[in-house]
Amino acid sequence: MAQTTEPAGTAGRVSGFRSAELGWPRLERIPHPPRRLPLLGDVLGVHPRTPVQDSVAMAARLGPIFRRRAFGKEFVFVWGAGLTADLADESRFAKHVGVGVANLRPVAGDGLFTAYNHEPNWQLAHDVLAPGFSREAMGGYHPLMLDVARQLLAHWDEGERAGTAVDVPGDMTKLTLETIARTGFGHDFGSFERDRPHPFVTAMVGTLAFAQRRNTVPVALAPLLLRGAERRNAADTALLNSTVDEVVAARARDGGGQGDLLDRMLEVAHPATGERLSAENIRRQVITFLVAGHETTSGALSFALHYLAQHPAVLARAQEEVDRVWGPTGEPGYEQVVKLRYVRRVLDESLRLWPTAPGFAREAREDTVLGGVHPMRRGAWALVLAGALHRDPEAWGEDAEEFDPDRFAPQAVRSRPAHVFKPFGTGARACIGRQFALHEATLVLGLLLRRYDLLPEPGYRLKVAERLTLMPQGLRLRLNRRSAGAGAGA
């Protein structure tokens, strides 16, 4: 079976965290924040709950490559268009399983997202599962996506009739969890029938938050400061494992799911080698899809709905497109969703401003020089800070902080440098489910725009919560049902 590259010096073994001093011979060329503190490093003016947003703010001051030091560890961040394009070169760089992602390995092991490059199960699972995201497969998922969306619409209709604001992040999380669970694994969590989040969601949020917190606590102090959190995380991990084991057992007991992702995991062998996924790896892949397959999409939908509510002209234009393209059709077909080009621009622009997966790390396959200036040894790595890359004035203009979906009009896209929009990572290990997520999100936005006018809560100011992924915090919207004559549908 084809193998991906091994990290430097591992010879098939995991080397663990490498501070930048070990891989960047001319680290002094890279700027860092002023006022470094002994032992603590660059901690002034930052908050442990908002490391991503703090880093984006630093990026604007320090330039397209910079470094931060925390508790004796040095990190290199990159966000300039030219340097990012360099790191996207698959012949010289590969995915690096960075600190935050590695913190999820106790949960997801060698699943697609958290596998090290040298672990063979990544290539095996990728080759087995990639056909599950083909255009043909997507068309098969579409009716199930519609079925879950009906549950959301019914729930929001209740809120609209009662005159109460809806909990956008909470409801988008319910929607996207049910969508990936039903389309991928034939399982119904009953999220819209619950007053409180499903225990799986609570455990998932707990594991993500714990992984984020581990990034901000010194290793030497972790046993003391994280003792209680470690116990809670162990309980959360056990619940995730037991939930997935029940899903897999139900499939084995009740039969197939008409070729969904779980069927592929259980029944399909690698086309070249005949290898199959082990029971343990199937559990890890299911957890990966359930967590990654809904967490980032729910954030993307939530940010898009926030911006639509805040920009009435954009909202009206998007509604006009849905009304025109879908016409009197009761529910759209797969091809009708693809034709919502302006709605897709709204989604892309929301992902530009707030990429819900806020960065990705790349490591050197061999000794090289980044941007012709910064030497890197084999295995040296840098974190591409997508939130800063997506706001680079040189690529996006002086109004890069403003929300403008027309940045994604075809001519505007062609005029920009390559590799300046990276919400799904890059290269061979970019998100395997990105087309699934984009179709689901475009479908749901279209259905909501067709049915409602979106009104922001007075005085709401966007606040972003970080738990490895990004999510608007406390976002609630009020709804007005559109008239049938306006194209609101059934």
Side-chain angles (χ1 to χ4, degrees), residues 212-266:
Q212 179 80 306
R213 189 176 176 192
R214 284 186 64 188
N215 290 341
T216 62
V217 174
V219 174
L221 297 179
L224 175 64
L225 298 180
L226 298 180
R227 185 178 302 164
E230 290 269 13
R231 289 195 295 269
R232 289 191 296 274
N233 186 63
D236 288 338
T237 300
L239 190 144
L240 295 179
N241 287 337
S242 64
T243 301
V244 169
D245 288 346
E246 290 171 10
V247 171
V248 176
R251 175 60 54 87
R253 181 181 65 249
D254 301 335
Q258 300 180 338
D260 63 13
L261 294 177
L262 185 53
D263 273 354
R264 297 195 66 83
M265 292 181 195
L266 292 169

Side-chain angles (χ1 to χ4, degrees), residues 251-307:
R251 175 60 54 87
R253 181 181 65 249
D254 301 335
Q258 300 180 338
D260 63 13
L261 294 177
L262 185 53
D263 273 354
R264 297 195 66 83
M265 292 181 195
L266 292 169
E267 299 174 6
V268 176
H270 189 278
T273 68
E275 291 177 86
R276 293 178 180 269
L277 296 176
S278 68
E280 180 183 46
N281 190 255
I282 288 172
R283 173 203 275 176
R284 290 169 172 175
Q285 303 297 355
V286 174
I287 289 176
T288 296
F289 278 109
L290 287 174
V291 174
H294 91 275
E295 173 74 359
T296 52
T297 309
S298 62
L301 277 164
S302 298
F303 283 117
L305 289 164
H306 164 73
Y307 283 115

Side-chain angles (χ1 to χ4, degrees), residues 261-457:
L261 294 177
L262 185 53
D263 273 354
R264 297 195 66 83
M265 292 181 195
L266 292 169
E267 299 174 6
V268 176
H270 189 278
T273 68
E275 291 177 86
R276 293 178 180 269
L277 296 176
S278 68
E280 180 183 46
N281 190 255
I282 288 172
R283 173 203 275 176
R284 290 169 172 175
Q285 303 297 355
V286 174
I287 289 176
T288 296
F289 278 109
L290 287 174
V291 174
H294 91 275
E295 173 74 359
T296 52
T297 309
S298 62
L301 277 164
S302 298
F303 283 117
L305 289 164
H306 164 73
Y307 283 115
L308 284 164
Q310 294 288 335
H311 294 80
V314 174
L315 175 65
R317 184 174 169 187
Q319 288 174 323
E320 185 280 328
E321 180 185 62
V322 176
D323 296 344
R324 172 171 43 81
V325 172
W326 290 1
T329 304
E331 289 182 331
Y334 176 83
E335 295 297 336
Q336 286 178 293
V337 175
V338 177
K339 293 177 181 178
L340 293 183
R341 295 182 175 86
Y342 186 72
V343 173
R344 172 63 185 275
R345 291 180 204 170
V346 169
L347 183 63
D348 284 343
E349 177 69 347
S350 303
L351 282 168
R352 181 187 72 84
L353 287 169
W354 293 105
T356 51
F360 56 94
R362 301 284 283 173
E363 68 178 44
R365 294 179 183 268
E366 302 292 345
D367 292 356
T368 188
V369 179
L370 180 65
V373 176
H374 303 286
M376 298 174 66
R377 297 189 181 101
R378 182 186 181 204
W381 64 279
L383 180 70
V384 177
L385 195 58
L389 173 69
H390 292 178
R391 295 168 186 253
D392 183 355
E394 291 188 12
W396 300 94
E398 292 303 317
D399 64 344
E401 298 288 332
E402 302 298 321
F403 178 77
D404 179 8
D406 282 333
R407 296 182 204 278
F408 288 90
Q411 184 175 355
V413 172
R414 288 192 295 268
S415 70
R416 281 193 295 274
H419 303 293
V420 296
F421 183 58
K422 292 289 186 180
F424 297 103
T426 194
R429 294 194 60 182
C431 175
I432 192 174
R434 55 192 176 275
Q435 295 305 322
F436 180 100
L438 290 168
H439 182 80
E440 174 191 4
T442 306
L443 166 65
V444 171
L445 284 179
L447 291 169
L448 295 176
L449 290 166
R450 194 184 201 197
R451 201 174 191 93
Y452 309 108
D453 287 320
L454 307 173
L455 305 173
E457 286 275 77

Side-chain angles (χ1 to χ4, degrees), residues 124-138:
L124 171 59
H126 181 274
D127 293 348
V128 167
L129 292 170
F133 295 97
S134 66
R135 188 178 182 89
E136 180 182 4
M138 294 293 300

